[in-house]
Amino acid sequence: MSGFTTGIDARRIAALCLSVSLGAVVGAASAGRAEPPNPVLNTLFPPGGRAGTSVDVAIDGGALDGTATLRFSDPSIVATKGEGSRFTVTIPAQTPPGTYDVRAVGINGASSPRSFVVGSRPEELETEPNDQIGSAAHLPLDVVVNGRIDKPGDVDCFRFSATAGQRIVLECRAERIDSQLRGVIEVNDALGNRLAANRGYTGIDPLVDFIVPVDGEYTVKVFDLTYAGGGAHFYRLEIDTGPRVEFTVPAVIERGKTTRVALFGRNLLARPAIVRQAGGEASGSVGDFLGVSTATNSDLDGAFDRIDVDITPPDPLDRNGLRLRAAQWSVDGFAFRHYPGNTPLMLSVTDVPVVLDSAANHSPGSAQEVAFPCEVSGQLTSGDEQDWYAVRASRGDVLWLEAFGERIDSPVDLDLVVLNASGERELAHFADCLENLGGYRFPTNHLDSAGRWVAPADGRFLIMLRNLTGGLSHDPRRVYRLSIRREEPDFQLAVVSRRADQPAGLNVGRGGRAVLDVLALRRRGMTGPIRVTAENLPGGIECPEIWIGPGVDRAPLIFSAVRECPSLTCNLTLVGHADLGGTEVTRAVCGGTMIWPGQPMPSGRLTGDVCLATGPEAPLLLTAFPSEAAVDQESVLDVAVEIERPIEGPTAAVDLTGVDLPELVANEVATIPAGQNKGWISFHVPASLLPGPYTFALQAETVLPQATPSPGGNQSGMPVALVSNPITIHVAEARIGLEIDPRVPKRIARGQIIQLRFAAQRKHGFIGKIHVEMAAPGVVVGLRSRGVTLVGQSDSGSLQVIANDDAPLGRQPFLRLQAVGTVEDKPVYRAARFVELEITE
Amino acid sequence: MTQFVLATCRLAGLGRIAVCVSAFLATPAATANADEFLSDVVPLLTRLGCNSGGCHGKATGQNGFKLSLLGFEPDLDYQAIVKESRGRRIFPAAPERSLLVLKATGAVPHGGGRRIEFGSDDCQTLVRWIDQGARPAAADERVLERITVVPERRAFDPGEVQQPLTISAFFSDGTNRDVTRRAVYLSNEPEIAEVDDDGVVSTKGRGGQFAVMVRYGDQIEVFHGTVMFKRAIRSSSQQVVATDPSPFDRHLAAQWERLALEPSAEASGEEFIRRATLDICGTLPTVEEVTAYQTDVQPNKRARLIDRLLSRPEYASYFALKWADILQNRGRGYSTGRQRAGTTLFADWIRDCIAANVPYDRFVSEILTAVGSQETNPPAVWYRTVRTTENYVESVSQAFLGVRVQCAQCHHHPAERWSQADYFALAAIFARVGRKGGFADAEVPTNEIIYLADEGQVVHPRTGQVVQPRPLGGPDFELNRYDDPRRKLAEWMTAPENPFFARTMVNRMWGHFLGRGIIHPIDDARSTNPPSNPDLLDALARDFVASGFDVKHLVRSICNSRAYCLSSAPNETNRDDVQNFASFHPRRLPAEVLLDAMSQVLDAPTTFSAVAGTFPAGTRAIDLPDEAVPSQFLDVFGRPNRSSACECERVDSPALGQALALVSSSELQEKLMAENGYVHKLAKNGRAHADNVQELFVRLFARPPRIEELNTACRFLEAAPDRSEAYQSLVWSLVATSEFLFNH
């Protein structure tokens, strides 16, 4: 009992810490149901370091009690504990530049991830005071400054010396490394004259690129656009003369092939490029600001150097070091590094031939002929440019067209249209992908258009692609991919925490369970079931395989830890399996996370790993039976539930609901009365649910009693929620369609007799007897009826239902009319309908 | 006699009534020419004011009788007069007893009173038309094509002079007639000249220019009048015409000469540096700047000063503030500071454009055609506030074309050619502005993505017809399916030959620097509101276009003009002139400039804070991103709330609150008493009072004190027991003077 009490207090303290640490951010969570302690790593500063060095970092977050170490998605990066919340991170010299995940691991398990950047340049730390140019630190070139806008109104100033003719790129990484800073860069000359400012180049992260006009000292200011500030407003400022690749042509290369690729970027060549001033004439003179204007949407023509290289995609594709947004999970690609560049670039990969767009395909009359399957790599440099392609298709050909723009970091909003051969009539106009599987936690929606098109006749058809947000400017970064393929199903999977109020790691209490949502992106008409397995789990951790049913896009993946499980932290290998055209295809499951809670716009990203850790002992264990069952459409599934309480004591009522039920299955609520540990919940499986396997789970909500009443006499305990083991059902086609006459009374008085009329239709070749009777989980209480058997052609009947004189008032949960179809006198097929019948006086 | 005839007719029966009355009322001329609804009746109703906005012409009509405003929808009017209310307004059997006539003559109670006399020509027109069958406008009916005014213009000598106007109407069948007594007249400057119902213009003895709008039917014509000023001293303007190479000065001088206006003397160097620094940079010159300017003996020091000011960041900040008002970069309406990023982004972009001297045509095109996320593409933030059909039309027309077309949303513009079709054709250009994404802050969308939607159309509210995109006065656009009509609008607008675009900008800038546009108000260009100096306006516009829409060039042109360099002290000839820029017109400093000026001279910056964060120390009011940054001082002194594109939202008229603010504003008190402020330093510097007063005057007014001012100030300081309080009081009193509060 005392241990139980201690556990409760620990949780309360942890919850208190959490609320103090996160303030309003977590306020919403603490005001509702208590969750297990959820370690959240808000900040790690500095947010990166140079390969081959050791960096002292400090962490901050919530429920980080007893954090003993930091865990990186690249296991070669290690940390040793320092004083308090400080750690020393050692980055091996061979660690490739890129953005990795780091988690804090403590007594509550592993935290949510934060980005940690590994660079190849020397690094500096910003030190206050530096709000004025006069107090700015002098920095060398080719350096990365780790800084933080500590408080509202803070401005960080730095000085550097440069030589006339040098091309210097100043780039602030903030949003891309999980910071809340909306950064602004200003560059001033020695006299304090502002030479340039930028407030967003790569998304909202700013960049200034300029050729130094005269030898001398320059200053750069970094601040928040709205003068907000705080610990979460960290950044990495690069003052760089090294090569930086921004995009490639083609934007996608074929898997397994070596392709000549043009790299476009800054400082790729030894000499300054011929440049164009913002909105002005071509010029190579010093003092130009290369495409990153302080004013108009500058024309970026000529801002980029180009070099050509041969690239062969690695096998398997390696995305280590890339930080990708949630919507990018559907893009196959790998981390391409052009050394000595400081940052990797995601280069897309496809398994069909790649075609480059021609320069003169901007009208229907000059449409470029392409044959599918293929992927076109093109550019929409000018704002109103249209790229036209022509395909030949036969009547009934099913094509899937998919444009990639936003998802490959191209600043475009692509519009994709199929037209007749003359280009005068639209046959299909594809919309943005608005489907957001992950919601606020992991927004998967994006602006890239895609869709299915069936050729209405033999002939030539045109495909037009344009940028809806091009404006008046020229921007060579506007590359795109256009996939033109037949209906070849495929899928991708990601797992994300169920918590909607804050980011979370996956921590399993010993003797308890934890759950991740598996999200399935079904591509090119894929509708079949997907099996998901966790492989090479450490001892003491279990994760039964689950099924994402036909047409369903999510299912719970549930991990449990035995009570004796040692404390551990591991990376999970999750694999999805599906039958695609008779072949089992496997896909690795990627991890996803919310970045910050409480934001007006959801922000989620992929994680470099899927980490599991053990947490504190679980107070309850919810187990559902059976864990696997065969059910017919139009029948009822009964699930028995048992709650295991390692420590005995008074128990409160438990409310049960389904979790991640297929959308077509109506959720139910059942209650296990206080003092009991077993109960039932039932679900009706509708005829519309496609046959196949589905996995869902149950969630129980109850209240743990207070060990000691509060001074005010408040006896209310701590509400908790727990999830059951997964329940997999194999849905079979209905052979009996059971309907209850809607005119059947909804009430029956004690001692009253009513007729319960029904119809039972035989389906799909079933011709046997059907026996119909009242049923309920366990036994029917207070009602009597005799079953009816329908034989021959008869398909309707009536049950005479008698309410006992002492029948309990009210409704019996999950009372149903149940039909059993027999084959050779064996019960084979089932159907059921819930009966809404209230017993009255 | 009339009563007698009517009584007789009653007895004789209805059949005779018409005959009797017609015989009595009709004149030989009238019987010869049938009265027509379009060319006679409707203009008459307009002249009588029946279809005016205050009577039956308003949207809801009056007492159940609704006419189209000023008769711009004659079909509707015919229905209302002849068909509605079971035809009770017309009595064909006894036209003179028609309700229409009885009401107009006051024979029966009429809310509008008696509009015409029974038996008058106007009355006969109505009766004849009814008697002739009350016919609607026939398909082949002659159409009023134009009217003329004779004379078209006249220069009046000083004093009170009359000029009758003769109005002729010309019809599609080649006929014409005198409609002088049937036309409607309106003077735009009644203080200079009035016009009566018979078209007689009477000058009021005050010099200046005026225009008389003449309306007959749906046609409008203008009489331009110029009343000479009383020349008192020898004109020097003629010399300017001969010698000055600037075409602008030549046009100014010609105007002055034409009007016998004597321009004021040149402003002193001190006046000019203060004026130009405030007007170009929204900032007071420092003591050092004033001293340096005064001691500058090199030629062209004014031009060089203007160049220096144009290169200062304050120039961009100040004009960005102006454009943020016009472009409605609005922060109010949101519940949090989450939208502040958008307003900041847009404000900074405007500032950068101005600093980089982005050509005005490009600047406007970027805004009009903006697409993309408001999170990353600043000009797209314009579409955050401007988001309805009304917003699109009125903001574009007022901000960039200098035309107010709001009226045409509901009815034909009463004083211009713009119809509802014009209004909704302009709206149709924006019909495909798509919005997606973003989030709502207090239900106000922000961070949307603006894009060209596949579909979108505007329907004429009266005809129900889909309206094709067309700019004001321009041709229908030829568009294919994927063309953005806004790009066509931008191309049309920024074409050198566009009649509105460049003129509006130069007029706006002229108005900024001279306190009044050549067309006034600056965004209300119309034939009935002509420019005071059309040649000057045209010359400026041509020069602006030729410069590649170079705004700094335009500022130089204006600020180097003779008008801008004149003293604000009037002479005897130009004392009453407000139109011709013969003297500089003082005006109160805008709220932000005033607050910054106080911060500057008192060396006590204002601290601005907002929901999202605290602005860095030293942030100036002219640098604030939007109007929602809290500041009671700015609100009291007329900071606009940016709910429209009209610069008139910025109020510079005096108000009691302003006087109270100068007396009791905690903001001002804190600055006066700031521990490290200027007043504190004055009190502690130990210098002689005279030295301090000398510096103080230059600091506040860009001029040294006059001897009496110096003596008065020194006496006051010496008499005060507490030096610190004495300086606070002195500075306070000087800050509250008109000389400080005004640019002059």
Side-chain angles (χ1 to χ4, degrees):
Chain A
M1 188 66 188
S2 61
F4 185 68
T5 304
T6 305
I8 293 294
D9 287 342
R11 272 189 297 278
R12 292 186 67 190
I13 292 165
L16 182 63
C17 294
L18 195 68
S19 62
V20 169
S21 300
L22 298 177
V25 169
V26 184
S30 57
R33 185 181 59 230
E35 300 282 357
N38 178 36
V40 176
L41 179 59
N42 283 335
T43 63
L44 173 141
F45 192 83
R50 184 185 189 185
T53 66
S54 291
V55 187
D56 287 336
V57 301
I59 64 168
D60 181 46
L64 297 179
D65 318 50
T67 298
T69 188
L70 302 178
R71 184 182 178 87
F72 292 83
S73 56
D74 184 323
S76 70
I77 307 173
V78 296
T80 54
K81 181 90 169 68
E83 288 202 359
S85 60
R86 302 197 68 84
F87 292 82
T88 300
V89 178
T90 302
I91 311 166
Q94 68 275 17
T95 306
T99 305
Y100 300 89
D101 278 340
V102 55
R103 302 169 191 266
V105 182
I107 59 172
N108 293 322
S111 72
S112 56
R114 271 284 167 259
S115 289
F116 183 82
V117 184
V118 173
S120 58
R121 308 282 194 265
E123 307 227 347
E124 299 277 350
L125 268 181
E126 175 232 345
T127 52
E128 296 282 354
N130 61 353
D131 286 14
Q132 304 295 326
I133 289 176
S135 56
H138 191 276
L139 302 172
L141 294 178
D142 297 315
V143 70
V144 177
V145 186
N146 293 281
R148 189 154 47 184
I149 302 300
D150 294 299
K151 58 185 183 302
D154 185 23
V155 177
D156 289 348
C157 299
F158 308 97
R159 293 180 295 148
F160 61 93
S161 297
T163 309
Q166 277 185 305
R167 184 177 185 177
I168 296 183
V169 178
L170 300 109
E171 183 166 19
C172 177
R173 294 180 188 275
E175 191 266 345
R176 288 170 291 172
I177 58 171
D178 296 349
S179 172
Q180 291 188 355
L181 174 69
R182 171 83 208 245
V184 177
I185 294 179
E186 276 187 13
V187 179
N188 297 272
D189 64 16
L191 300 175
N193 300 314
R194 196 181 76 171
L195 300 179
N198 189 258
R199 305 172 186 87
Y201 176 75
T202 307
I204 61 172
D205 282 350
L207 180 148
V208 167
D209 174 2
F210 80 116
I211 295 177
V212 176
V214 293
D215 293 1
E217 192 169 79
Y218 295 85
T219 58
V220 54
K221 289 182 185 176
V222 179
F223 53 94
D224 187 85
L225 180 68
T226 60
Y227 297 113
H233 290 64
F234 49 86
Y235 63 87
R236 284 169 61 83
L237 173 68
E238 299 173 14
I239 307 174
D240 205 46
T241 61
R244 318 167 73 83
V245 178
E246 289 194 20
F247 65 96
T248 67
V249 175
V252 56
I253 60 176
E254 193 173 346
R255 196 186 298 266
K257 281 192 174 178
T258 298
T259 304
R260 172 55 58 103
V261 175
L263 307 180
F264 290 88
R266 303 170 193 270
N267 278 326
L268 299 182
L269 303 174
R271 55 172 176 73
I274 299 300
V275 297
R276 184 184 294 277
Q277 282 185 306
E281 296 300 316
S283 163
S285 62
V286 295
D288 287 334
F289 289 83
L290 307 183
V292 183
S293 163
T294 57
T296 62
N297 282 333
S298 56
D299 291 338
L300 290 171
D301 286 343
F304 299 106
D305 297 339
R306 168 182 171 162
I307 58 172
D308 293 350
V309 297
D310 291 329
I311 301 177
T312 306
D315 187 20
L317 298 177
D318 178 10
R319 300 204 291 201
N320 204 23
L322 292 176
R323 179 189 180 277
L324 302 174
R325 300 184 307 279
Q328 292 179 294
W329 71 326
S330 54
V331 181
D332 284 333
F334 65 95
F336 170 74
R337 295 176 176 85
H338 174 68
Y339 291 100
N342 201 27
T343 311
L345 174 83
M346 184 177 73
L347 187 53
S348 295
V349 168
T350 181
D351 50 6
V352 295
V354 173
V355 179
L356 279 175
D357 75 331
S358 71
N361 62 350
H362 303 318
S363 66
S366 60
Q368 181 179 350
E369 304 285 338
V370 294
F372 58 84
C374 71
E375 279 225 15
V376 179
S377 173
Q379 257 174 309
L380 294 165
T381 303
S382 68
D384 58 350
E385 192 171 319
Q386 300 166 9
D387 281 359
W388 291 77
Y389 300 95
V391 295
R392 293 197 170 276
S394 302
R395 184 172 187 271
D397 276 347
V398 178
L399 295 186
W400 280 82
L401 292 96
E402 183 172 11
F404 294 77
E406 184 193 10
R407 286 174 295 167
I408 58 171
D409 295 324
S410 175
V412 292
D413 177 3
L414 297 172
D415 188 35
L416 179 59
V417 186
V418 180
L419 302 99
N420 65 353
S422 65
E424 293 171 348
R425 187 161 57 91
E426 285 190 1
L427 304 176
H429 203 141
F430 299 106
D432 298 350
C433 177
L434 300 177
E435 189 178 29
N436 183 357
L437 298 176
Y440 188 84
R441 300 166 292 162
F442 187 68
T444 60
N445 52 318
H446 53 79
L447 299 176
D448 294 342
S449 305
R452 180 179 190 264
W453 175 69
V454 182
D458 294 358
R460 182 173 180 269
F461 301 93
L462 300 183
I463 300 170
M464 191 276 287
L465 204 66
R466 61 180 176 142
N467 177 15
L468 292 174
T469 55
L472 301 176
S473 64
H474 287 246
D475 188 346
R477 294 180 300 162
R478 295 176 184 147
V479 294
Y480 65 84
R481 294 168 53 188
L482 171 62
S483 168
I484 310 172
R485 304 177 67 159
R486 290 189 184 276
E487 190 163 48
E488 297 161 342
D490 201 354
F491 66 101
Q492 257 126 356
L493 301 169
V495 288
V496 61
S497 165
R498 287 186 64 81
R499 291 190 71 122
D501 58 341
Q502 54 183 284
L506 174 63
N507 298 304
V508 192
R510 282 183 287 276
R513 295 193 174 88
V515 61
L516 291 175
D517 268 348
V518 187
L519 307 177
L521 177 67
R522 297 175 175 277
R523 307 181 66 184
R524 296 191 291 270
M526 198 276 186
T527 58
I530 303 168
R531 183 168 60 93
V532 181
T533 59
E535 301 183 349
N536 306 320
L537 290 173
I541 302 294
E542 294 176 353
C543 178
E545 72 172 22
I546 62 157
W547 286 90
I548 303 172
V552 172
D553 58 21
R554 72 191 60 220
L557 188 65
I558 295 166
F559 298 85
S560 59
V562 299
R563 205 162 291 280
E564 301 76 24
C565 182
S567 179
L568 61 83
T569 307
C570 65
N571 282 349
L572 297 173
T573 303
L574 306 176
V575 182
H577 313 255
D579 183 345
L580 302 180
T583 305
E584 180 173 285
V585 174
T586 61
R587 295 278 181 261
V589 182
C590 53
T593 184
M594 175 195 299
I595 301 172
W596 288 103
Q599 302 297 303
M601 299 282 279
S603 61
R605 65 171 177 86
L606 297 176
T607 56
D609 56 23
V610 182
C611 180
L612 177 145
T614 51
E617 187 176 10
L620 300 173
L621 181 66
L622 176 70
T623 306
F625 310 96
S627 59
E628 191 156 3
V631 294
D632 290 343
Q633 292 171 329
E634 298 198 60
S635 67
V636 167
L637 170 71
D638 291 321
V639 182
V641 173
E642 182 173 346
I643 296 174
E644 184 183 330
R645 302 173 188 267
I647 298 163
E648 296 198 358
T651 61
V654 179
D655 290 330
L656 298 171
T657 54
V659 173
D660 281 344
L661 289 165
E663 277 186 14
L664 298 168
V665 178
N667 208 341
E668 303 287 349
V669 178
T671 301
I672 302 174
Q676 296 184 26
N677 289 323
K678 292 185 179 179
W680 289 89
I681 189 169
S682 305
F683 302 96
H684 182 254
V685 180
S688 52
L689 190 66
L690 294 173
Y694 298 84
T695 297
F696 65 98
L698 300 182
Q699 177 173 290
E701 294 186 30
T702 188
V703 175
L704 293 177
Q706 296 273 24
T708 53
S710 63
N714 185 359
Q715 295 289 338
S716 63
M718 173 177 287
V720 295
L722 51 155
V723 70
S724 76
N725 54 302
I727 302 161
T728 297
I729 58 173
H730 298 269
V731 177
E733 204 168 43
R735 301 303 177 100
I736 303 169
L738 184 64
E739 294 289 342
I740 297 175
D741 188 332
R743 291 165 295 183
V744 167
K746 303 288 190 240
R747 293 181 175 180
I748 183 170
R750 284 174 172 167
Q752 189 185 357
I753 301 173
I754 63 169
Q755 297 297 320
L756 202 164
R757 290 178 296 278
F758 63 87
Q761 181 189 4
R762 297 174 179 82
K763 295 181 176 179
H764 301 118
F766 170 59
I767 58 173
K769 288 187 290 189
I770 300 176
H771 181 72
V772 181
E773 61 185 11
M774 295 275 288
V779 295
V780 177
V781 179
L783 298 173
R784 287 173 288 144
S785 68
R786 177 170 294 172
V788 173
T789 302
L790 304 178
V791 297
Q793 301 298 314
S794 62
D795 59 1
S796 62
S798 172
L799 287 185
Q800 180 172 280
V801 180
I802 306 166
N804 295 341
D805 292 339
D806 60 350
L809 299 178
R811 282 184 184 165
Q812 181 174 0
F814 307 120
L815 181 69
R816 84 288 304 261
L817 187 66
Q818 179 171 288
V820 178
T822 61
V823 177
E824 295 177 351
D825 289 333
K826 293 180 180 173
V828 177
Y829 305 122
R830 296 178 187 277
R833 287 276 176 181
F834 288 131
V835 177
E836 295 179 25
L837 193 58
E838 182 180 0
I839 300 171
T840 61
E841 289 283 2
Chain B
M1 181 65 182
T2 301
Q3 296 299 321
F4 170 76
V5 172
L6 287 173
T8 307
C9 291
R10 275 190 210 105
L11 294 172
L14 292 177
R16 291 183 60 193
I17 291 175
V19 177
C20 292
V21 174
S22 298
F24 174 75
L25 293 173
T27 65
T31 50
N33 298 310
D35 287 283
E36 293 177 344
F37 186 70
L38 269 185
S39 54
D40 295 292
V41 177
V42 173
L44 177 58
L45 296 176
T46 303
R47 174 183 165 80
L48 298 179
C50 308
N51 54 22
S52 67
C55 201
H56 300 286
K58 64 173 178 261
T60 55
Q62 183 79 15
N63 291 335
F65 182 34
K66 179 182 182 312
L67 295 170
S68 68
L69 185 74
L70 304 177
F72 283 114
E73 306 291 347
D75 294 345
L76 297 179
D77 294 340
Y78 183 81
Q79 291 290 324
I81 295 169
V82 178
K83 303 290 186 185
E84 279 180 5
S85 299
R86 303 183 305 282
R88 74 189 183 100
R89 297 187 177 104
I90 296 297
F91 189 11
E96 84 292 348
R97 301 203 64 211
S98 296
L99 187 60
L100 184 70
V101 177
L102 296 177
K103 285 274 188 181
T105 56
V108 297
H110 179 217
R114 178 180 295 174
R115 311 303 296 175
I116 52 177
E117 294 296 328
F118 198 86
S120 66
D121 286 348
D122 293 339
C123 180
Q124 290 176 46
T125 298
L126 289 178
V127 171
R128 274 199 308 272
W129 171 68
I130 298 167
D131 187 35
Q132 290 159 3
R135 291 190 304 272
D140 59 348
E141 182 175 327
R142 62 180 184 170
V143 176
L144 176 64
E145 290 190 327
R146 64 188 171 90
I147 60 173
T148 59
V149 181
V150 177
E152 291 181 357
R153 60 183 65 241
R154 177 183 168 182
F156 295 85
D157 288 331
E160 297 181 1
V161 181
Q162 287 198 332
Q163 169 66 53
L165 303 179
T166 301
I167 314 303
S168 299
F170 293 81
F171 297 91
S172 56
D173 61 357
T175 61
N176 66 81
R177 70 179 185 200
D178 186 327
V179 293
T180 303
R181 298 192 59 206
R182 297 188 176 193
V184 178
Y185 305 89
L186 185 68
S187 169
N188 72 335
E189 296 283 359
E191 293 182 353
I192 299 174
E194 288 182 340
V195 59
D196 64 17
D197 290 347
D198 293 329
V200 178
V201 175
S202 304
T203 61
K204 310 295 288 182
R206 179 172 175 175
Q209 295 164 289
F210 66 94
V212 173
M213 181 191 72
V214 181
R215 180 190 297 116
Y216 179 73
D218 59 354
Q219 296 294 314
I220 291 170
E221 197 49 77
V222 181
F223 167 76
H224 299 274
T226 302
V227 182
M228 299 297 179
F229 288 81
K230 295 171 185 169
R231 190 195 302 262
I233 54 177
R234 189 188 62 81
S235 168
S236 60
S237 55
Q238 189 62 39
Q239 298 168 358
V240 177
V241 175
T243 60
D244 199 294
S246 161
F248 315 125
D249 287 349
R250 287 203 296 273
H251 292 307
L252 282 164
Q255 176 92 329
W256 296 332
E257 180 64 22
R258 195 160 47 238
L259 290 167
L261 265 173
E262 190 67 28
S264 293
E266 269 197 7
S268 68
E270 295 147 344
E271 285 174 326
F272 188 81
I273 184 174
R274 187 176 191 273
R275 177 187 302 172
T277 311
L278 282 168
D279 274 342
I280 297 177
C281 293
T283 303
L284 278 178
T286 63
V287 173
E288 295 74 22
E289 287 165 347
V290 172
T291 307
Y293 184 74
Q294 286 296 78
T295 55
D296 185 353
V297 293
Q298 299 299 314
N300 299 323
K301 71 176 188 178
R302 280 185 177 162
R304 284 185 287 108
L305 169 68
I306 292 164
D307 285 344
R308 279 200 305 277
L309 293 173
L310 284 172
S311 66
R312 283 172 56 168
E314 292 92 338
Y315 158 69
S317 294
Y318 184 37
F319 278 84
L321 174 71
K322 180 186 185 76
W323 276 102
D325 290 347
I326 298 166
L327 298 171
Q328 302 165 67
N329 189 26
R330 182 173 164 79
R332 284 200 178 95
Y334 297 91
S335 64
T336 72
R338 294 194 188 284
Q339 85 294 344
R340 175 60 46 75
T343 54
T344 307
L345 208 57
F346 194 25
D348 288 349
W349 177 82
I350 296 170
R351 186 179 305 125
D352 290 347
C353 284
I354 292 169
N357 202 26
V358 170
Y360 180 64
D361 57 337
R362 172 81 182 195
F363 172 71
V364 174
S365 297
E366 290 274 4
I367 295 166
L368 285 181
T369 64
V371 283
S373 170
Q374 292 167 346
E375 189 180 25
T376 53
N377 188 24
V381 177
W382 185 66
Y383 284 92
R384 195 165 73 177
T385 304
V386 180
R387 56 187 311 113
T388 65
T389 298
E390 295 80 20
N391 293 158
Y392 294 141
V393 173
E394 292 161 20
S395 296
V396 167
S397 57
Q398 201 158 347
F400 306 126
L401 303 178
V403 174
R404 298 180 181 180
V405 294
Q406 288 90 324
C407 312
Q409 185 188 4
C410 304
H411 52 75
H412 198 291
H413 194 295
E416 252 295 357
R417 52 180 163 148
W418 312 124
S419 65
Q420 274 184 290
D422 294 315
Y423 184 97
F424 288 101
L426 181 57
I429 293 173
F430 295 89
R432 288 171 61 195
V433 172
R435 300 166 184 273
K436 57 186 177 183
F439 62 92
D441 182 4
E443 300 183 0
V444 184
T446 193
N447 271 21
E448 293 170 304
I449 295 172
I450 305 298
Y451 69 104
L452 177 66
D454 297 333
E455 295 177 345
Q457 61 187 24
V458 165
V459 174
H460 193 295
R462 187 171 59 79
T463 66
Q465 300 293 314
V466 174
V467 184
Q468 294 304 309
R470 176 167 49 81
L472 287 178
D476 280 353
F477 288 147
E478 290 182 10
L479 299 165
N480 76 34
R481 187 201 312 261
Y482 303 115
D483 285 341
D484 188 340
R486 296 177 303 156
R487 293 176 81 109
K488 296 286 184 185
L489 174 67
E491 289 167 12
W492 169 83
M493 193 182 281
T494 58
E497 64 275 13
N498 185 284
F500 306 106
F501 186 68
R503 284 164 61 94
T504 299
M505 179 58 174
V506 300
N507 188 52
R508 184 184 294 283
M509 296 298 275
W510 186 272
H512 173 88
F513 288 103
L514 277 301
R516 178 187 170 104
I518 302 171
I519 295 172
H520 178 77
I522 55 173
D523 49 11
D524 193 14
R526 51 190 156 84
S527 60
T528 49
N529 182 34
S532 60
N533 190 334
D535 295 337
L536 173 62
L537 183 64
D538 289 343
L540 282 165
R542 279 195 305 273
D543 184 63
F544 184 46
V545 172
S547 72
F549 296 97
D550 183 333
V551 179
K552 286 190 178 180
H553 173 83
L554 175 61
V555 173
R556 286 189 196 97
S557 299
I558 295 172
C559 292
N560 283 308
S561 74
R562 185 151 178 237
Y564 190 68
C565 302
L566 295 177
S567 167
S568 57
N571 58 38
E572 285 186 25
T573 69
N574 66 23
R575 191 173 306 279
D576 292 336
D577 175 52
V578 293
Q579 299 172 323
N580 299 289
F581 317 108
S583 64
F584 188 85
H585 293 285
R587 54 190 180 275
R588 206 203 71 214
L589 301 181
E592 293 86 347
V593 176
L594 179 59
L595 183 57
D596 285 345
M598 289 180 174
S599 300
Q600 179 181 326
V601 298
L602 301 177
D603 202 6
T606 306
T607 300
F608 297 102
S609 59
V611 178
T614 302
F615 293 89
T619 298
R620 300 183 45 164
I622 60 171
D623 280 322
L624 295 179
D626 59 55
E627 89 302 346
V629 177
S631 170
Q632 191 182 5
F633 184 94
L634 295 180
D635 291 336
V636 166
F637 279 89
R639 176 171 63 172
N641 66 11
R642 297 182 176 175
S643 58
S644 78
C646 187
E647 285 200 65
C648 55
E649 274 196 20
R650 180 174 288 280
V651 178
D652 60 1
S653 56
L656 180 60
Q658 296 166 7
L660 292 174
L662 292 174
V663 172
S664 61
S665 157
S666 58
E667 183 108 37
L668 180 54
Q669 291 299 319
E670 287 168 11
K671 289 181 189 300
L672 287 165
M673 300 171 69
E675 195 166 332
N676 296 315
Y678 178 66
V679 179
H680 179 79
K681 290 171 191 164
L682 274 183
K684 301 296 179 191
N685 64 9
R687 289 164 53 188
H689 289 315
D691 293 342
N692 281 344
V693 172
Q694 286 278 354
E695 180 186 289
L696 186 57
F697 268 70
V698 177
R699 192 176 176 96
L700 268 66
F701 308 131
R703 67 167 175 88
R706 300 180 189 99
I707 188 65
E708 63 274 21
E709 292 168 335
L710 180 63
N711 291 339
T712 303
C714 289
R715 279 201 302 274
F716 171 76
L717 292 170
E718 285 158 4
D722 185 317
R723 181 178 168 107
S724 184
E725 280 189 14
Y727 272 106
Q728 286 173 13
S729 298
L730 176 64
V731 175
W732 189 2
S733 65
L734 294 178
V735 163
T737 59
S738 295
E739 187 169 1
F740 181 78
L741 298 173
F742 278 66
N743 191 10
H744 42 82

